[in-house]
Amino acid sequence: MKSKINLYLIEFAINSLLRQKFKNIFILMVLIFLTSLLASIFFISNSIKHELNSTLRTLPQITIQKLKAGRHYDMNLSDVDEILNIAGVSDAIPRVWGYYYFANMGTNFSIIGIDEFENQYKQTLVKATKTNDFTKALDENSMIVGEGVKKALEENYYKEYFNFIKPDGTFKKVNIGGVFKASTNLESNDTILLPKQIALEIFGMEEDKITDIVVKVANPEEIPTVASKIQIIFPDARVITNKDLEISYQNIFDYKSGIFLALFVVSIFTFFIIVYDKASGMSSEEKREIGVLKALGWKIEDVLKEKFYESFIISFLGYIIGILTALSFVYIFNAPLLNNIFTGYSELKTDFELPFIIDYNTLFLIFFLTVPIYIASTIIPSWRSATIETDKVLR
């Protein structure tokens, strides 16, 4: 079977590109920039969406928080027993947690107090306590920290222990007993796991007080009903279901996505301006080249094939390099500047790495938004010039 690919035409196309190398290098650079920008936007969006969805799956079914003067307030440990008596509730877990401001780096750590012998409200805590042997944490006065916390403490010379400042101004020295990593960086990066007794001491809370209560419901379909019953028993409390949290997270993500959508539209608009400018006409030098080729006996289809090879080489090269640049920018350098649009730039957060998520539909979408359109913008004006009589083109 005879090959339909004409190697001589490909060689001629490459030489034609090299004859106008400065112009074609500029076009290639623009294509690489636009492709890498588009791909980076999609890669960051996909990775953060995956991270958020993974985090949402670990959230409690129902969370009860006491409010006083519109602010989160401590609950009584005895409130747990009332909730356990509600039909449909399979478990109610009292939580002690909060934020600790680390002034040296201007960042907040999330502190979670856990009791080894009580049920944990998510698998991440179960795994962390088993992996790091949490049984002696209280006796050894130690804690388990996320990777981001470990890095932040080491940068401030806290390699073996950390001195917490309690509300009364005294210090509480706690040893670093281990490092854990959850399935998502958002969940674990800034987290410190402490024995509940030590966490209460650091927060200055009484032993019979808790931060909130996490409720597990045997039948997920009954979550709204159970939440309504809890609200009746505790009218001054805020009852939050996992559906409420999902909507809240999604609203934040949609807001951030709007900013990325604006960047996407600007990129596409710029690309189409370039394409429109190219499709609107050819330079006199390019027209003269087509006229010379026709004078030498080239057919119209030969001219169009050669132009196809030219445009395909430059656009496909721009696409490949653009995708590789975006992959390096997002997943090796963690997308500086662009990443901050989604996660927000603040000293009050610890960094996290974007999970490597490749969506092949995204790659196909970017390909069809760049390569075929650029080829069409080259073929159409070439066809117009090739169909004109040779002597008119040369004049």
Side-chain angles (χ1 to χ4, degrees):
M1 182 178 174
K2 187 178 178 180
S3 173
K4 293 182 180 180
I5 298 177
N6 191 326
L7 297 178
Y8 294 108
L9 278 180
I10 294 176
E11 183 182 2
F12 186 89
I14 293 173
N15 289 328
S16 178
L17 290 172
L18 293 176
R19 279 195 296 275
Q20 302 181 41
K21 56 184 175 184
F22 293 111
K23 174 188 171 186
N24 289 318
I25 287 174
F26 175 75
I27 293 174
L28 179 63
M29 296 298 291
V30 172
L31 286 173
I32 291 173
F33 174 75
L34 290 174
T35 304
S36 60
L37 180 60
L38 282 175
S40 298
I41 291 170
F42 282 118
F43 290 161
I44 294 171
S45 174
N46 291 339
S47 295
I48 293 182
K49 196 169 186 178
H50 170 81
E51 193 86 345
L52 285 176
N53 288 335
S54 300
T55 303
L56 284 172
R57 286 194 289 271
T58 67
L59 294 175
Q61 291 176 311
I62 298 176
T63 306
I64 307 166
Q65 297 177 339
K66 199 95 168 183
L67 295 179
K68 189 174 184 179
R71 304 181 66 179
H72 188 197
Y73 196 71
D74 297 341
M75 298 183 73
N76 296 316
L77 186 59
S78 58
D79 294 336
V80 176
D81 296 331
E82 291 187 60
I83 294 171
L84 285 172
N85 291 328
I86 298 174
V89 172
S90 61
D91 200 358
I93 304 168
R95 294 199 305 179
V96 175
W97 67 276
Y99 299 109
Y100 182 85
Y101 181 67
F102 184 39
N104 289 22
M105 292 195 71
T107 188
N108 278 320
F109 297 147
S110 300
I111 293 180
I112 300 176
I114 54 178
D115 189 338
E116 184 202 354
F117 300 105
E118 72 180 7
N119 294 332
Q120 308 299 335
Y121 66 95
K122 57 183 177 182
Q123 285 301 314
T124 300
L125 300 181
V126 176
K127 184 179 177 182
T129 52
K130 287 184 177 178
T131 306
N132 294 276
D133 190 15
F134 203 70
T135 53
K136 300 177 182 177
L138 183 59
D139 296 335
E140 296 177 352
N141 196 37
S142 63
M143 61 184 176
I144 302 172
V145 300
E147 291 182 325
V149 177
K150 176 68 174 175
K151 182 181 176 184
L153 294 181
E154 284 182 344
E155 289 176 357
N156 288 272
Y157 309 103
Y158 290 106
K159 296 184 179 179
E160 297 180 354
Y161 66 91
F162 180 67
N163 287 321
F164 289 95
I165 303 175
K166 296 191 289 186
D168 60 4
T170 59
F171 291 94
K172 175 66 179 178
K173 180 181 176 181
V174 182
N175 300 313
I176 300 173
V179 180
F180 80 103
K181 180 177 175 61
S183 57
T184 66
N185 283 320
L186 281 177
E187 190 182 1
S188 66
N189 198 50
D190 65 343
T191 302
I192 297 176
L193 303 182
L194 282 164
K196 193 171 282 185
Q197 188 174 329
I198 298 177
L200 287 168
E201 185 180 350
I202 290 173
F203 291 141
M205 295 169 61
E206 298 174 10
E207 291 188 0
D208 62 341
K209 296 290 184 182
I210 54 177
T211 309
D212 54 25
I213 301 172
V214 167
V215 179
K216 291 184 178 180
V217 181
N219 182 2
E221 299 294 328
E222 296 180 352
I223 290 176
T225 305
V226 173
S228 301
K229 292 179 179 177
I230 294 173
Q231 190 70 74
I232 293 172
I233 297 173
F234 301 98
D236 59 336
R238 179 167 56 187
V239 182
I240 307 167
T241 65
N242 52 359
K243 191 66 179 175
D244 297 331
L245 290 173
E246 183 179 348
I247 293 172
S248 177
Y249 274 52
Q250 192 61 48
N251 287 338
I252 296 173
F253 183 79
D254 289 343
Y255 166 72
K256 300 286 187 177
S257 295
I259 300 173
F260 262 26
L261 179 62
L263 274 177
F264 173 78
V265 171
V266 169
S267 303
I268 288 293
F269 185 68
T270 307
F271 179 75
F272 276 96
I273 287 177
I274 296 172
V275 169
Y276 175 77
D277 180 66
K278 192 170 179 60
S280 60
M282 302 182 72
S283 65
S284 57
E285 188 176 350
E286 289 173 319
K287 290 179 180 177
R288 193 180 305 112
E289 182 181 337
I290 291 176
V292 170
L293 292 176
K294 289 189 66 179
L296 291 174
W298 284 42
K299 298 177 183 177
I300 294 176
E301 54 264 34
D302 294 332
V303 173
L304 295 182
K305 280 183 182 178
E306 191 272 332
K307 290 298 176 186
F308 170 81
Y309 289 137
E310 273 189 33
S311 56
F312 179 78
I313 290 170
I314 198 168
S315 60
F316 190 70
L317 196 59
Y319 169 78
I320 292 295
I321 297 176
I323 293 295
L324 294 176
T325 302
L327 286 171
S328 304
F329 175 71
V330 174
Y331 296 118
I332 295 179
F333 299 104
N334 211 29
L337 298 180
L338 280 182
N339 190 11
N340 291 333
I341 294 176
F342 257 117
T343 60
Y345 177 77
S346 171
E347 293 294 338
L348 300 180
K349 74 177 182 66
T350 49
D351 295 331
F352 72 95
E353 294 180 0
L354 293 165
F356 185 73
I357 303 296
I358 288 294
D359 181 7
Y360 292 103
N361 292 330
T362 297
L363 297 180
F364 283 121
L365 175 63
I366 297 172
F367 178 85
F368 286 112
L369 281 174
T370 53
V371 177
I373 293 175
Y374 183 80
I375 291 174
S377 71
T378 303
I379 293 294
I380 292 172
S382 300
W383 173 77
R384 287 176 185 161
S385 299
T387 52
I388 301 174
E389 292 181 10
T390 305
D391 56 335
K392 290 183 178 178
V393 176
L394 290 175
R395 284 202 297 271

